[in-house]
C-alpha cells in the first residue's frame, strides 16, 4: 500500500536514532511527518478502489491481490510509464488531481492495446519536498481513474529526495498489471489484410506527450486565452489523458472484431501504428479525414515546426487507432459515433511496416 519511504531509507522512522536529534533528518531536507500526513490524506481514496481481490490494507509492505476467475490461458500484461514534464506545467498552475488520472489512463491504454483488462496499479511520487495536500490530490486522481476501470490502487511510494530533485519539482510514475486470455491477445497480425480500416478514437488533448516542447511553446502565451467551446488554453493543456477502455468495450459489445489497437503516444501516428502491423502491410492515413483540434493547430503555428513533424510529436487529436475489417465499418460507427475512419491498410514491399501520411 502507499507508504512514505523518505529518500533511500526503507523505514518511516529512518534517520532517528538514539544518538541523533529528531530534527537531524529534517535538517537534511527530509520531513518524515510530511510523508506520513500524505499517506493519511490518501488512505480513503486508495481504499475506495479496493475490489474483493485485494487482501491487504493500506500500510502493508506489499500489496496482495488474489487471482480468481482466471481464463483458460491466462497471461499477465504489465506496463510502466510516467507523466513526464506535464507534471511541471501542472505544478506551475496547481493542477494536481488530473496528473493522477493521466498516469493511470496512460498505463491502462498501453495494456489495453494488447487486449488486457487492468487488475491493479502501483504508483510512485517523488519530489525534493513533499507537500501532503498535493500528493493526496494526485492520488485522488489516480483513485478516480482506477475506480472507473475497476482497477485496484494496490500500492505505491512517496519519496522525498532533496538534492536529487530540484526545488519545486515532482515526478509521477506508475506500473499497471492486467490480465488477458492468450486467445484474446492483441494485435492479431495474421488476421490483418489490405483494405482493413483504421478507426481513430479522439484524444482529450496532448495526453502525456510532447510537454517539454509544449512548455517552451506556451511560455509567452496567456494561459487563460480562449480556444473553443469556452475552454481556455491551460485547461486544454492539462486535460486528463483519456481512457479508451469504455470505447473498446462498446466495440466488443457490438460484435466488432478488433484486429489491433495502437495507443498513440510519443512518436505519434507515424511511430506507433507500425508497432502493431505485420511485414507486408503499411498504414495509409488521410490527414484530411478528421478535424485537428484547435489546440494542436495553435501549437503548430506557435512552434513554427513542420507539419509532418507535428504528427510524430503530438497525437494531433487521435489517441487510439483500431484496426477492423471494412465490412464492420457501419457497426463500429454506430457503436462509437465520435470515432472517425482515418485510413486503411495497404500492401507494402518494404521490409518493415510503416505509415504513409496523405493529405
Amino acid at each position: 500500500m502507499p507508504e512514505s519511504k523518505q529518500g533511500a531509507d526503507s523505514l518511516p522512522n529512518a534517520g532517528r536514532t538514539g544518538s541523533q536529534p529528531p530534527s537531524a533528518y529534517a535538517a537534511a531536507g527530509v520531513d518524515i511527518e510530511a510523508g506520513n500526513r500524505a499517506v493519511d490524506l490518501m488512505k480513503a481514496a486508495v481504499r475506495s478502489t479496493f475490489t474483493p481481490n485485494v487482501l491487504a490494507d493500506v500500510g502493508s509492505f506489499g500489496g496482495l491481490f488474489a487471482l480468481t476467475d482466471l481464463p483458460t490461458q491466462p497471461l499477465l500484461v504489465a506496463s510502466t510509464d510516467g507523466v513526464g514534464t506535464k507534471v511541471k506545467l501542472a505544478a506551475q498552475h496547481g493542477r494536481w488531481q488530473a496528473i493522477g488520472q493521466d498516469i493511470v489512463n496512460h498505463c491502462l491504454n498501453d495494456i489495453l492495446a494488447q487486449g488486457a483488462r487492468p487488475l491493479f496499479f502501483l504508483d510512485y511520487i517523488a519530489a525534493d519536498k513533499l507537500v501532503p495536500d498535493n500528493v493526496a490530490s494526485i492520488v485522488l486522481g489516480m483513485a478516480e481513474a482506477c475506480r472507473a476501470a475497476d482497477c485496484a490502487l494496490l500500492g505505491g511510494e512517496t519519496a522525498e529526495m532533496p538534492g536529487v530533485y530540484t526545488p519545486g519539482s515532482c515526478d509521477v510514475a506508475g506500473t499497471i498489471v492486467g490480465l488477458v486470455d492468450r486467445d484474446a491477445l492483441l494485435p492479431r497480425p495474421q488476421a490483418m489484410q489490405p483494405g482493413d480500416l483504421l478507426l481513430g478514437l479522439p484524444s482529450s488533448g496532448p495526453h502525456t506527450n510532447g510537454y517539454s516542447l509544449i512548455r517552451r511553446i506556451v511560455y509567452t502565451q496567456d494561459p487563460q486565452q480562449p480556444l473553443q467551446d469556452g475552454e481556455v488554453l491551460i485547461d486544454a493543456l492539462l486535460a486528463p489523458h483519456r481512457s479508451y477502455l469504455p470505447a473498446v468495450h462498446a466495440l466488443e459489445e457490438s460484435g466488432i472484431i478488433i484486429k489491433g489497437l495502437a495507443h498513440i503516444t510519443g512518436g505519434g501516428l507515424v511511430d506507433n501504428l507500425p508497432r502493431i502491423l505485420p511485414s507486408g502491410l503499411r498504414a495509409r492515413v488521410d490527414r484530411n479525414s478528421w478535424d485537428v483540434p484547435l489546440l494542436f493547430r495553435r501549437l503548430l503555428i506557435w512552434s513554427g515546426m513542420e507539419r509532418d513533424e507535428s504528427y510524430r510529436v503530438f497525437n494531433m487529436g487521435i489517441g487510439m487507432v483500431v484496426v477492423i475489417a471494412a465490412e464492420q465499418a457501419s457497426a463500429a460507427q454506430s457503436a462509437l459515433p465520435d470515432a472517425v475512419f482515418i485510413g486503411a491498410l495497404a500492401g507494402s514491399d518494404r521490409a518493415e511496416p510503416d505509415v504513409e501520411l496523405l493529405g
Side-chain angles (χ1 to χ4, degrees):
M1 297 301 100
E3 303 176 9
S4 175
K5 296 182 181 177
Q6 312 299 336
D9 300 290
S10 60
L11 297 175
N13 291 322
R16 295 192 178 186
T17 66
S19 61
Q20 191 177 53
S23 61
Y25 208 19
V30 178
D31 185 350
I32 293 174
E33 296 307 318
N36 291 337
R37 287 196 301 274
V39 173
D40 287 339
L41 289 171
M42 70 177 74
K43 281 181 178 178
V46 173
R47 287 179 179 139
S48 72
T49 72
F50 286 179
T51 66
N53 301 78
V54 178
L55 304 181
D57 197 10
V58 178
S60 300
F61 282 96
L64 295 176
F65 191 92
L67 292 174
T68 58
D69 300 322
L70 296 178
T72 305
Q73 301 182 78
L75 294 177
L76 293 177
V77 182
S79 180
T80 294
D81 218 308
V83 174
T85 59
K86 185 176 183 177
V87 73
K88 180 75 170 179
L89 192 64
Q92 291 171 344
H93 295 273
R95 307 282 189 91
W96 296 105
Q97 188 167 330
I99 291 296
Q101 295 172 278
D102 274 319
I103 186 57
V104 172
N105 288 341
H106 185 119
C107 291
L108 186 159
N109 290 334
D110 275 348
I111 65 167
L112 182 63
Q114 291 178 276
R117 299 303 184 267
L119 296 175
F120 57 83
F121 182 82
L122 303 163
D123 70 86
Y124 178 76
I125 303 171
D128 73 305
K129 183 175 181 59
L130 291 175
V131 179
D133 287 343
N134 295 348
V135 173
S137 291
I138 294 171
V139 175
L140 187 64
M142 292 178 182
E144 182 178 341
C146 282
R147 285 195 306 272
D150 196 24
C151 174
L153 181 49
L154 191 64
E157 162 78 335
T158 57
E160 192 169 65
M161 297 191 290
V164 174
Y165 289 93
T166 57
S169 65
C170 178
D171 193 18
V172 179
T175 296
I176 198 165
V177 174
L179 181 69
V180 64
D181 190 295
R182 186 183 292 271
D183 289 338
L185 188 63
L186 294 175
R188 299 187 177 99
Q190 70 284 355
M192 296 181 188
Q193 60 185 0
D196 284 345
L197 298 181
L198 303 175
L199 182 65
L201 309 186
S203 67
S204 54
H207 286 175
T208 53
N209 299 105
Y211 277 85
S212 293
L213 176 60
I214 287 173
R215 289 187 300 108
R216 178 182 296 180
I217 293 172
V218 303
Y219 180 74
T220 59
Q221 297 294 325
D222 176 7
Q224 298 301 320
Q225 66 177 277
L227 290 178
Q228 56 192 25
D229 300 326
E231 189 176 43
V232 299
L233 177 61
I234 192 60
D235 291 343
L237 291 174
L238 293 178
H241 196 128
R242 178 183 174 185
S243 166
Y244 292 100
L245 187 58
V248 170
H249 278 164
L251 289 174
E252 292 174 338
E253 289 172 359
S254 297
I256 306 301
I257 297 174
I258 296 173
K259 298 185 180 186
L261 291 169
H263 187 199
I264 310 305
T265 55
L269 289 160
V270 175
D271 287 348
N272 286 291
L273 270 173
R275 296 169 67 179
I276 67 170
L277 302 180
S279 59
L281 287 180
R282 73 186 324 187
R284 304 184 79 234
V285 175
D286 180 2
R287 291 182 287 190
N288 294 322
S289 59
W290 77 95
D291 292 327
V292 174
L294 178 58
L295 172 62
F296 294 104
R297 286 183 273 133
R298 289 275 177 88
L299 291 173
L300 181 57
I301 293 171
W302 293 335
S303 67
M305 75 167 67
E306 294 294 327
R307 181 171 176 241
D308 282 352
E309 183 184 2
S310 69
Y311 283 83
R312 295 193 69 180
V313 176
F314 305 125
N315 63 59
M316 301 303 282
I318 301 296
M320 182 77 83
V321 176
V322 191
V323 180
I324 65 170
E327 57 266 26
Q328 293 198 302
S330 179
Q333 195 75 77
S334 296
L336 296 176
D338 69 333
V340 60
F341 289 102
I342 65 170
L345 298 186
S348 173
D349 56 5
R350 294 183 177 230
E352 298 294 332
D354 66 341
V355 174
E356 181 183 5
L357 296 177
L358 308 172

